[in-house]
């Protein structure tokens, strides 16, 4: 057996063990992503092989939790890809305005920046009061951070620039209270956001929504899993509902390519056909 095949086998055993013991299913995550994260953890923890790592995962719950954190990449920003938010404001808000109430789902919301960005746009467009935002992630630690809405002050310069490029209508600093090294997002923005733990791989539809944002999540999944999650997103959307994906994600290799109209090719915005 070559060392590569042996390692592939060990990785698949590790993922199987994590699933059986802890219920988190990474078996169809991108092999390159999982392998990179495992290598990194091996170096950091001084463990010499994936098989040994598997034993540590079984015996040490804290270590297992660390590995789950490793597999969940939580990089995010306020108004990430400002052009996307500008398009959302111009092209999707008028559509949302036609509904008496609005439900939005941020699937894989990480530490919440995306949901706060949406709350700000909806507020500025006069729609926030009739909206419920479901912001979900399977990573409880990052979800707790999102609920607190506390972010580093150092990021505010970049976020302010993003907000302006995204068509922001006020001063971004109106939306938070600044403290010494951190800011706290306004209570008003949190009012209609429901934070919840939801796993896109193992949990099911929980609401019928008008708009889904699942951005920069599916990029870490193999094609078969992407397809499975796309079904979940499709089933969660009303007819005519809007799906937003990340800049490197699409529907082309899924069963749902024909099920949507492409509203904005560059910013990956799709409308579910009737
Ligand atoms: C790179 S972040 C993207 C955050 C935000 N959507 C954005 O575009 O900035 C990916 C998020 O997906 C979450 N994630 C990964 N697998 C998931 C799963 N099976 N169910 C729910 N969330 C998942 C991770 O925990 C992480 O917070």
């Amino acid at each position: 057996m070559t060392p590569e095949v042996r390692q592939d086998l060990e990785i698949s055993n590790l993922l199987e063990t994590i699933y059986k013991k802890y219920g988190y299913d990474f078996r169809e995550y991108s092999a390159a992503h999982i392998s990179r994260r495992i290598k990194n953890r091996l170096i950091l923890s001084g463990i010499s092989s994936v098989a040994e790592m598997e034993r540590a995962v079984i015996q040490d719950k804290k270590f297992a939790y660390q590995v789950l954190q490793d597999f969940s990449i939580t990089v995010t920003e306020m108004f990430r890809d400002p052009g996307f938010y500008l398009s959302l404001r111009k092209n999707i808000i008028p559509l949302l305005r036609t509904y008496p109430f609005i439900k939005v789902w941020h699937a894989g919301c990480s530490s919440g920046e995306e949901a706060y960005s949406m709350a700000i746009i909806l507020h500025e467009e006069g729609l926030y009061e009739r909206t419920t935002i479901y912001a979900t992630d399977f990573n409880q630690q990052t979800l707790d951070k999102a609920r607190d809405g506390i972010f580093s002050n150092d990021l505010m310069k970049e976020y302010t620039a993003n907000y302006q490029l995204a068509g922001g209508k006020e001063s971004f600093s109106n939306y938070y209270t600044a403290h010494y090294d951190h800011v706290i997002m306004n209570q008003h923005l949190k009012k209609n956001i429901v934070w919840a733990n939801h796993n896109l791989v193992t949990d099911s539809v929980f609401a019928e929504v008008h708009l889904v944002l699942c951005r920069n999540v599916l990029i870490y999944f193999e094609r078969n899993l992407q397809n499975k999650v796309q079904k979940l997103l499709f089933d969660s959307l009303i007819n005519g509902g809007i799906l937003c994906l990340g800049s490197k994600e699409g529907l082309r290799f899924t069963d749902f390519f024909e099920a949507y109209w492409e509203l904005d090719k560059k910013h990956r915005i799709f409308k579910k056909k009737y």
Side-chain angles (χ1 to χ4, degrees):
M1 205 188 287
T2 65
E4 287 78 23
V5 171
R6 190 194 170 91
Q7 194 170 57
D8 285 354
L9 207 70
E10 288 182 352
I11 289 179
S12 117
N13 288 343
L14 170 69
L15 300 183
E16 204 62 48
T17 296
I18 290 176
Y19 178 50
K20 285 202 187 113
K21 191 158 166 66
Y22 299 100
Y24 288 93
D25 191 356
F26 295 103
R27 294 174 300 174
E28 291 186 273
Y29 275 51
S30 137
H33 161 64
I34 292 291
S35 160
R36 255 196 316 271
R37 303 306 289 168
I38 288 177
K39 274 186 191 139
N40 195 44
R41 181 50 50 197
L42 287 176
I43 293 167
L44 289 176
S45 56
I47 292 178
S48 59
S49 71
V50 181
E52 197 186 319
M53 189 166 171
E54 187 190 351
R55 283 191 288 280
V57 159
I58 294 170
Q59 286 158 8
D60 183 350
K61 206 169 164 186
K62 228 168 145 190
F63 180 71
Y65 183 71
Q66 181 59 63
V67 174
L68 300 183
Q69 290 294 324
D70 290 341
F71 291 165
S72 141
I73 305 284
T74 56
V75 176
T76 186
E77 289 172 24
M78 292 268 183
F79 298 96
R80 183 179 193 172
D81 308 321
F84 160 76
Y85 283 96
L86 194 60
S87 176
L88 195 87
R89 203 189 269 267
K90 273 195 196 149
N91 304 314
I92 306 306
I93 290 292
L95 216 142
L96 295 181
R97 212 180 280 292
T98 62
Y99 298 113
F101 63 90
I102 302 158
K103 288 185 188 173
V104 179
W105 179 21
H106 291 271
C109 68
S110 188
S111 38
E113 285 85 338
E114 195 182 77
Y116 288 111
S117 305
M118 180 63 71
I120 289 170
I121 291 184
L122 290 166
H123 161 75
E124 292 184 359
E125 297 297 332
L127 297 180
Y128 187 63
E129 293 306 321
R130 54 169 139 137
T131 302
T132 302
I133 296 178
Y134 300 101
T136 67
D137 205 285
F138 78 151
N139 181 334
Q140 192 58 45
Q141 187 171 310
T142 200
L143 206 53
D144 290 342
K145 183 165 188 258
R147 188 179 285 112
D148 291 344
I150 301 175
F151 302 108
S152 164
N153 219 340
D154 295 343
L155 297 168
M156 290 307 125
K157 198 169 164 204
E158 185 192 344
Y159 289 176
T160 302
N162 280 359
Y163 166 74
Q164 283 161 353
L165 289 170
K169 292 182 173 172
E170 296 186 22
S171 165
F172 186 56
S173 59
N174 288 351
Y175 296 111
Y176 59 81
T177 312
H179 296 264
Y180 172 62
D181 59 353
H182 64 275
V183 308
I184 306 178
M185 300 311 290
N186 287 356
Q187 195 55 38
H188 171 254
L189 293 177
K190 299 178 180 174
K191 198 173 60 127
N192 295 349
I193 305 181
V194 179
W195 307 100
N197 195 308
H198 180 276
N199 190 327
L200 287 162
V201 182
T202 46
D203 293 332
S204 45
V205 172
F206 63 89
E208 198 173 47
V209 301
H210 302 81
L211 168 63
V212 171
L213 290 92
C214 186
R215 306 183 67 226
N216 309 299
V217 180
L218 298 172
I219 199 169
Y220 300 105
F221 296 1
E222 293 291 5
R223 200 172 282 180
N224 192 40
L225 184 57
Q226 289 186 19
N227 205 40
K228 187 180 155 195
V229 175
Q230 282 298 350
K231 173 155 181 14
L232 177 66
L233 304 182
F234 181 82
D235 290 343
S236 302
L237 274 172
I238 60 158
N239 287 340
I242 302 296
L243 170 69
C244 303
L245 301 176
S247 62
K248 297 189 191 80
E249 296 160 338
L251 292 168
R252 189 168 293 277
F253 300 107
T254 73
D255 296 342
F256 298 89
F257 186 61
E258 298 291 337
Y260 292 88
W261 288 293
E262 195 171 54
L263 293 190
D264 183 335
K265 192 179 173 126
K266 182 168 179 216
H267 298 109
R268 313 291 159 114
I269 303 178
F270 306 86
K271 183 176 184 189
K272 181 172 166 176
K273 290 181 182 172
Y274 291 94

